[in-house]
């Protein structure tokens, strides 16, 4: 590039000097024409010196190899830049996926904590109300005991007064009995009301506990279903290959379609069950065994030849 730039500069100077020579020749200026000619020859000599390396044997091939190396270097840098950008985008995608999973897990944890807090608050409120009801029941029972104690005290005082010859009027006994009966009725009503409240709270608590047990059972069943599904996927992968890496035109595709046809066709399912039902026998039958509940996985190879064939 430097040689080409230097050569172009000399060519431009020679061109300008050629125009000066023509102008001096037209004007008849001999001294100017001679100076321009000498300068032009000097510049031409410089141009020959500059372009001399280009005329050497093998220079073009070396220049071509150098240009090829430069081109490959540019391509290598572009490829590395592209790979770095792709790796960065992939890392960003993985980071976004991790962040999404973390956010999902965090939201799930927050939801579980909120549900537990709500259940704890509800249970605490129910326990508080239940303890309040029990406190009211205890107060009612204490008041009933006080009433019985008053009745017993009045009876003792009445007997003591009778021994001294003092007898209260019948109206006083009647007023006392009416007042006691009124208080007993009121306390009995309150006792029944408090018992009804306690039963309602117990039913509510039992319902919450039943809901909690049901949720725990559903979670357990969901985990069991996910575990069974994972086992089924692993078993299908061992028998038929990984579906994600299974091309459409694979050699085993017809066999896969045949063995899995019952999952897509009710008629095929009925036919397969009919054929299997012909061999149903009890578990203790001496000439057969019951149908296994799932796929029968092949046993591991017992020798190297078999292992080679399996691979």
């Amino acid at each position: 590039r430097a040689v080409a730039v230097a050569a172009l500069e000399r060519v431009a100077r020679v061109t300008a000097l050629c125009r000066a020579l023509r102008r001096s020749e037209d004007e008849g200026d001999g001294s100017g024409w001679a100076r321009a000619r000498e300068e032009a020859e000097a510049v031409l000599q410089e141009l020959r010196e500059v372009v001399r390396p280009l005329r050497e044997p093998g220079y073009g091939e070396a220049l071509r190899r150098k240009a090829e190396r430069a081109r490959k270097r540019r391509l290598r840098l572009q490829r590395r830049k592209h790979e770095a950008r792709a790796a960065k985008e992939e890392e960003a995608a993985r980071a976004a996926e991790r962040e999404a999973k973390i956010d999902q897990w965090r939201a799930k944890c927050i939801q579980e904590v909120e549900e537990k807090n709500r259940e704890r608050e509800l249970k605490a409120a129910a326990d508080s109300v239940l303890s309040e009801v029990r406190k009211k029941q205890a107060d009612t029972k204490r008041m009933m005991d006080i009433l019985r104690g008053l009745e017993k005290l009045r009876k003792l005082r009445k007997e003591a007064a009778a021994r001294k010859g003092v007898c209260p009027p019948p109206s006083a006994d009647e007023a006392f009995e009416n007042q006691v009966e009124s208080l007993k009725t009121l306390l009995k009503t309150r006792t029944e009301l408090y018992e009804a409240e306690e039963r309602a709270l117990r039913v509510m608590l039992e319902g919450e506990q039943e809901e909690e047990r049901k949720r725990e059972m559903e979670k357990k069943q969901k985990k069991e279903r996910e575990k069974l599904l994972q086992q089924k996927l692993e078993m299908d992968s061992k028998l038929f290959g990984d579906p994600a890496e299974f091309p459409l035109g694979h050699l085993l595709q017809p066999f896969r379609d045949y063995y899995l046809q019952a999952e897509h066709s009710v008629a095929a399912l009925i036919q397969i069950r009919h054929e299997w039902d012909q061999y149903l026998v009890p578990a203790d039958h001496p000439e057969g065994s019951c149908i296994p509940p799932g796929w029968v996985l092949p046993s591991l190879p017992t020798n190297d030849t078999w292992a080679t064939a399996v691979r």
Side-chain angles (χ1 to χ4, degrees):
R1 186 183 298 108
V3 171
V5 171
L8 288 175
E9 290 178 355
R10 269 70 174 183
V11 169
R13 289 175 59 188
V14 168
T15 303
L17 291 172
C18 288
R19 287 196 297 269
L21 283 171
R22 294 192 190 95
R23 188 166 54 252
S24 298
E25 186 176 359
D26 293 339
E27 294 176 354
D29 186 4
S31 60
W33 186 86
R35 288 195 301 271
R37 181 173 178 277
E38 292 177 359
E39 188 175 356
E41 289 179 354
V43 174
L44 284 174
Q45 184 62 31
E46 292 179 2
L47 179 60
R48 294 188 188 95
E49 293 295 331
V50 169
V51 300
R52 180 179 297 173
L54 300 178
R55 298 178 179 178
E56 293 179 357
Y59 184 81
E61 183 65 22
L63 188 63
R64 186 190 64 79
R65 290 196 298 269
K66 188 175 181 180
E68 183 66 18
R69 287 196 299 270
R71 186 184 68 82
K72 289 182 179 180
R73 182 173 179 274
R74 287 195 302 271
L75 291 176
R76 185 167 59 254
L77 292 176
Q78 291 177 359
R79 185 170 62 253
R80 289 179 180 176
K81 186 176 180 181
H82 178 72
E83 291 176 355
R85 187 187 304 112
K88 187 176 180 181
E89 292 177 355
E90 185 178 358
E91 180 62 26
R94 286 198 298 266
E97 184 178 0
R98 287 196 299 269
E99 288 294 333
K101 290 182 179 180
I102 291 173
D103 293 339
Q104 184 179 2
W105 173 80
R106 186 185 296 115
K108 183 179 179 181
C109 292
I110 292 174
Q111 183 179 1
E112 291 178 356
V113 170
E114 290 178 353
E115 289 180 356
K116 289 182 179 179
N117 289 335
R118 284 196 299 268
E119 293 172 2
R120 191 181 299 109
E121 291 175 358
L122 181 61
K123 186 177 180 181
D127 291 340
S128 176
V129 176
L130 186 59
S131 63
E132 187 68 23
V133 171
R134 289 176 177 173
K135 182 179 179 182
K136 292 178 181 179
Q137 288 177 341
D139 293 341
T140 304
K141 184 178 180 182
R142 187 170 61 254
M143 293 176 68
M144 289 290 294
D145 295 337
I146 292 173
L147 282 178
R148 284 193 291 269
L150 287 175
E151 288 179 339
K152 186 176 182 181
L153 179 61
R154 190 177 188 280
K155 181 179 179 181
L156 293 175
R157 288 184 175 181
K158 186 178 179 180
E159 291 177 354
R163 286 194 296 270
K164 294 179 181 180
V166 180
C167 294
S171 60
D173 293 338
E174 184 178 358
F176 180 78
E177 293 293 336
N178 291 336
Q179 189 68 26
V180 170
E181 288 297 327
S182 176
L183 290 174
K184 286 183 177 180
T185 303
L186 177 60
L187 293 176
K188 183 178 181 182
T189 303
R190 288 189 177 182
T191 301
E192 293 176 353
L193 178 62
Y194 297 153
E195 289 177 354
E197 289 183 3
E198 184 180 4
R199 287 195 298 271
L201 288 174
R202 289 187 180 279
V203 169
M204 184 176 66
L205 289 175
E206 290 177 358
E208 289 295 328
Q209 293 175 357
E210 183 66 25
E211 289 293 331
E212 180 65 23
R213 287 193 295 269
K214 187 181 295 184
R215 284 193 291 268
E216 292 295 332
M217 183 61 67
E218 289 178 355
K219 290 181 181 179
K220 186 176 180 181
Q221 291 177 354
K222 183 179 179 181
K223 290 182 179 179
E224 290 295 332
R225 287 195 299 269
E226 292 177 353
K227 183 178 179 181
L228 292 176
L229 180 60
Q230 185 64 29
Q231 291 178 354
K232 182 178 181 300
L233 292 176
E234 292 178 357
M235 190 176 297
D236 291 346
S237 177
K238 292 179 181 179
L239 291 171
F240 308 111
D242 190 0
E245 301 177 357
F246 207 84
L248 295 178
H250 198 272
L251 182 62
L252 297 178
Q253 185 65 38
F255 301 95
R256 181 181 179 87
D257 294 339
Y258 174 76
Y259 284 108
L260 299 180
Q261 60 180 330
E263 297 183 2
H264 309 286
S265 173
V266 179
L269 175 62
I270 295 174
Q271 178 63 27
I272 294 172
R273 282 301 306 269
H274 175 70
E275 294 176 356
W276 275 98
D277 290 345
Q278 296 178 359
Y279 301 96
L280 288 177
V281 294
D284 56 349
H285 197 277
E287 297 182 0
S289 60
C290 60
I291 299 176
W295 291 103
V296 180
L297 295 177
S299 58
L300 297 176
T302 57
N303 53 54
D304 297 338
T305 304
W306 184 8
T308 304
V310 171
R311 287 195 298 269

